[in-house]
């Protein structure tokens, strides 16, 4: 992994470079903040170890610049400085540093701190991999436009609202909100296994074709079942699996693939069901125009207690203004605008 | 305050036991020290506490890296004075800095001479 060392003192920079190279890092030195920021903007560095006091742009300003302007991915920043004391540490972390080490460094400690940084960056990579997989599935059905982006925003809105309700507070916390935001784009991953003539058919599906289409929940569910079994510690895989299996189940048991009902349907599946249907209704398809928010809302209200969990519908009603806002902001026409909107914003 | 101008065991630890690298690092450090000390003395003479704090901070960092703890302590005290906005007893400070810098240079020169004799 490449690490950018930033220090105006050549001796300190060389010492740090030598230690990091012994730990297997590929190290580049910048002698001031401006040069460091230029290098970070190349997108080639995800880990920065910087001094605080430097001429031109100091370490705190560098942190702020990276947080404001570097856009190619998260950059993990360690402030390595002889400015000790709680007040300085707080100031450094507030400027955007992820970690703070007081000079002189101990090689073993530095190595461990860098490993923490690598773990954080790996988590971000996980987010990107998940989203890439979902986009791959989605790419087979290009008519759905920015469906995934809107879907996960809707899921986040609903989950955040549920988190404020006493009945859900034990289950839905900030971590749950983040997980559903992360995993809901995988709901249709099973579509990779549906033949083109069914998946891309412009008109209405025959009964037989619909049966084939329904299999996307099984294909996706079984795929993620296997992944979750292989990595039992990964909560996000369990939630992704639940969503893939159950997002077409209905509260009254009339859905598919298993026909489970009520609270046997995992909460994540009940949330995604509302988000998915709302987006399908308010988006245009080859076989139908986009419905207005009011029409979509009426249809969802009709399904309260039959198709949908009544409490999730209530959450939808409480947050409908946010749904409208997301639908307007993430219009399908913006999908290929190249503005970075496809990247996770978590 | 430690007796030796440099804690060689600590320096070697930071250099991951690489004696040649420690030697090169010390050479670089020593080559820069006189210039840094002159800059510090000059800022004291000019009565510029901010500049004193800035230069002292830089020296402190370099000294901390090579485990030159005595000089680091002096630089740290001086940095605190500078940040306080006033340098009391400037002549005493200049004497202390010069004395510690001489001691440091002697220690490193002696170390390097012993190294070259043993090779």
């Amino acid at each position: 992994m490449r690490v950018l060392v930033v220090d105006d003192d050549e001796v300190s920079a060389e010492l740090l470079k030598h230690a990091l190279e012994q730990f297997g890092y590929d190290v580049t030195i910048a002698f001031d903040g401006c040069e460091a920021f230029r290098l970070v903007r190349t997108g080639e560095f995800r880990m920065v170890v910087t001094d605080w006091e430097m001429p031109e742009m100091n370490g705190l300003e560098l942190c702020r610049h990276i947080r404001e302007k570097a856009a190619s991915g998260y950059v993990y920043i360690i402030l390595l400085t002889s400015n000790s004391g709680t007040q300085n540490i707080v100031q450094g972390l507030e400027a955007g540093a992820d970690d703070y080490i007081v000079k002189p460094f101990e090689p073993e400690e530095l190595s461990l701190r860098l490993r923490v940084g690598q773990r954080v960056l790996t988590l971000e990579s996980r987010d990107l991999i998940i989203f890439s997989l979902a986009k791959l599935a989605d790419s087979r059905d290009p008519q759905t436009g920015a469906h995934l982006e809107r879907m996960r925003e809707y899921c986040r809105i609903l989950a955040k609202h549920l988190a404020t309700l006493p009945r859900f507070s034990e289950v839905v916390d900030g971590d749950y909100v983040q997980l559903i935001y992360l995993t809901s784009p995988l709901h249709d991953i099973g579509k990779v296994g549906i033949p083109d003539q069914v998946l891309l058919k412009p008109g209405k599906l025959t009964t037989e074709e619909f049966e084939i289409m329904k299999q996307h929940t099984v294909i996706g569910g079984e795929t993620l079942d296997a992944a979750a079994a292989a990595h039992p510690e990964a909560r996000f895989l369990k939630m992704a699996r639940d969503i893939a299996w159950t997002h077409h189940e209905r509260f009254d048991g009339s859905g598919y693939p298993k026909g489970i009902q009520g609270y046997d349907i995992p909460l994540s599946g009940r949330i995604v069901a509302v988000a998915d249907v709302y987006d399908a209704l308010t988006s245009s398809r080859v076989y139908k125009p986009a419905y207005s928010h009011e029409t979509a809302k009426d249809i969802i209200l009709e399904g309260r207690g039959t198709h949908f969990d009544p409490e999730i519908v209530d959450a939808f009603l409480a947050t409908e203004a946010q749904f409208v806002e997301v639908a307007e902001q993430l219009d399908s026409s913006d999908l290929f605008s190249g503005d970075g909107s496809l990247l996770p914003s978590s | 305050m430690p007796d030796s101008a440099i804690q060689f065991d600590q320096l070697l630890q930071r250099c991951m036991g690489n004696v040649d690298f420690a030697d090169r690092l010390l050479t670089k450090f020593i080559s820069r020290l006189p210039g840094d000390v002159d800059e510090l003395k000059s800022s004291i003479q000019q009565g510029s506490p901010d500049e004193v704090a800035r230069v002292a901070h830089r020296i402190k960092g370099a000294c901390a890296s090579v485990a030159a703890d005595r000089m680091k302590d002096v630089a740290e005290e001086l940095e605190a004075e500078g940040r306080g906005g006033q340098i009391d007893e400037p002549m005493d400070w200049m004497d202390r800095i010069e004395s510690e810098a001489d001691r440091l240079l002697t220690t490193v020169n002696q170390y390097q001479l012993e190294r070259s004799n043993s090779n």
Side-chain angles (χ1 to χ4, degrees):
Chain A
M1 176 170 217
R2 300 190 71 175
V3 178
L4 181 62
V5 165
V6 193
D7 201 319
D8 61 327
D9 176 50
E10 204 179 334
V11 171
S12 301
E14 286 293 338
L15 183 66
L16 190 54
K17 179 176 191 278
H18 178 262
L20 293 180
E21 283 175 346
Q22 303 304 304
F23 294 127
Y25 293 99
D26 180 6
V27 182
T28 300
I29 294 177
F31 291 106
D32 64 67
C34 293
E35 186 190 355
F37 186 57
R38 186 185 61 74
L39 287 167
V40 169
R41 291 296 295 272
T42 64
E44 291 177 17
F45 297 93
R46 313 257 337 256
M47 186 91 81
V48 174
V49 182
T50 182
D51 187 21
W52 180 322
E53 304 238 356
M54 294 180 291
E56 304 292 330
M57 183 191 292
N58 68 32
L60 293 193
E61 290 165 333
L62 176 63
C63 288
R64 291 191 194 103
H65 272 71
I66 291 174
R67 293 291 173 249
E68 282 167 15
K69 292 175 185 159
S72 61
Y74 193 76
V75 178
Y76 193 86
I77 308 172
I78 299 176
L79 262 176
L80 177 62
T81 167
S82 40
N83 288 339
S84 57
T86 308
Q87 201 180 340
N88 285 322
I89 294 172
V90 169
Q91 203 181 343
L93 297 179
E94 276 181 349
D98 296 285
D99 200 357
Y100 195 106
I101 305 176
V102 177
K103 282 182 183 175
F105 68 90
E106 292 304 321
E108 289 304 319
E109 183 190 352
L110 182 65
S111 166
L112 291 171
R113 303 282 190 113
L114 284 163
R115 271 161 53 185
V116 170
Q118 278 186 282
R119 282 206 292 275
V120 169
L121 294 173
T122 303
L123 284 175
E124 199 211 19
S125 301
R126 180 200 68 180
D127 293 3
L128 282 169
I129 288 167
I130 289 173
F131 200 65
S132 302
L133 278 173
K135 287 304 292 182
L136 183 69
D138 198 46
S139 68
R140 295 203 56 220
D141 191 5
Q143 293 171 39
T144 55
H147 171 59
L148 294 183
E149 288 80 356
R150 288 188 300 268
M151 257 279 301
R152 65 178 184 177
E153 292 294 345
Y154 297 146
C155 289
R156 176 153 66 179
I157 291 166
L158 290 171
K160 275 178 98 167
H161 180 77
L162 295 177
T164 66
L165 306 177
R167 204 180 97 67
F168 290 93
S169 61
E170 285 292 308
V171 179
V172 186
D173 55 11
D175 194 39
Y176 187 98
V177 173
Q178 180 63 15
L179 269 186
I180 201 163
Y181 178 76
L182 193 69
T183 55
S184 53
L186 292 176
H187 68 291
D188 273 344
I189 189 135
K191 281 186 176 174
V192 293
I194 303 299
D196 281 355
Q197 67 268 26
V198 175
L199 187 66
L200 304 178
K201 184 178 176 181
K204 192 172 161 57
L205 297 179
T206 64
T207 307
E208 191 185 15
E209 287 166 341
F210 188 55
E211 287 304 314
I212 294 171
M213 182 63 116
K214 282 157 70 173
Q215 285 300 304
H216 81 273
T217 53
V218 177
I219 296 166
E222 286 180 345
T223 303
L224 291 164
D225 258 344
H231 300 280
E233 75 292 346
R235 278 183 63 205
F236 76 96
L237 285 174
K238 291 192 183 77
M239 185 183 277
R241 172 200 63 193
D242 287 348
I243 289 171
W245 269 117
T246 65
H247 68 285
H248 285 294
E249 297 290 1
R250 294 183 176 213
F251 203 67
D252 62 3
S254 65
Y256 66 87
K258 293 182 178 171
I260 52 175
Q261 61 178 307
Y263 300 112
D264 287 344
I265 305 168
L267 177 62
S268 55
R270 286 179 271 141
I271 292 172
V272 171
V274 172
D276 194 25
V277 168
Y278 177 82
D279 192 59
L281 291 170
T282 53
S283 306
S284 61
R285 296 282 194 272
V286 171
Y287 52 87
K288 72 162 202 48
Y291 296 148
S292 69
H293 169 74
E294 289 304 324
T295 306
K297 178 176 148 185
D298 288 345
I299 293 171
I300 286 175
L301 281 176
E302 262 177 48
R304 187 179 185 279
T306 52
H307 188 159
F308 306 113
D309 176 349
E311 286 172 297
I312 309 296
V313 173
D314 294 345
F316 164 72
L317 283 177
T319 56
E320 62 175 311
Q322 294 175 60
F323 272 67
V324 172
E325 202 176 317
V326 168
E328 285 171 359
Q329 280 176 357
L330 292 173
D331 187 84
S332 296
S333 58
D334 292 336
L335 181 61
F336 299 111
S337 62
D339 62 355
S341 61
L342 299 185
L343 292 173
S345 60
S346 55
Chain B
M1 190 173 276
D3 290 339
S4 174
I6 289 196
Q7 306 300 305
F8 286 101
D9 52 342
Q10 284 180 24
L11 173 61
L12 262 180
Q13 190 197 351
R14 274 172 221 150
C15 293
M16 315 288 281
N18 186 330
V19 180
D20 289 335
F21 175 70
D23 206 15
R24 287 200 302 277
L25 202 68
L26 278 177
T27 302
K28 190 170 276 183
F29 171 72
I30 286 303
S31 71
R32 296 164 56 103
L33 186 64
D36 285 345
V37 167
D38 284 348
E39 197 179 339
L40 188 55
K41 282 161 58 183
S42 160
S43 61
I44 294 171
Q45 280 168 336
Q46 286 164 9
S48 167
D50 287 347
E51 186 64 6
V52 168
R54 190 186 68 77
V55 180
H57 179 85
R58 194 177 69 218
I59 294 174
K60 179 180 80 173
C63 289
S65 292
V66 298
D69 291 353
R70 289 179 62 108
M71 185 73 185
K72 186 208 86 171
D73 290 344
V74 175
E76 192 165 19
E77 284 177 50
L78 190 49
E79 181 190 359
E81 285 264 315
R83 293 207 193 282
Q86 191 178 328
I87 310 296
D88 291 329
E89 310 291 350
M91 294 308 290
D92 287 356
W93 277 115
M94 295 217 280
D95 286 346
R96 276 187 73 187
I97 292 158
E98 214 157 317
S99 152
E100 282 306 331
D102 284 345
R103 186 185 173 108
L104 193 49
L105 284 167
T106 306
T107 304
V108 173
N109 287 337
Q110 197 175 342
Y111 167 79
Q112 292 189 323
L113 187 67
E114 284 170 13
R115 277 257 305 147
S116 66
N117 286 340
S118 65
N119 286 339

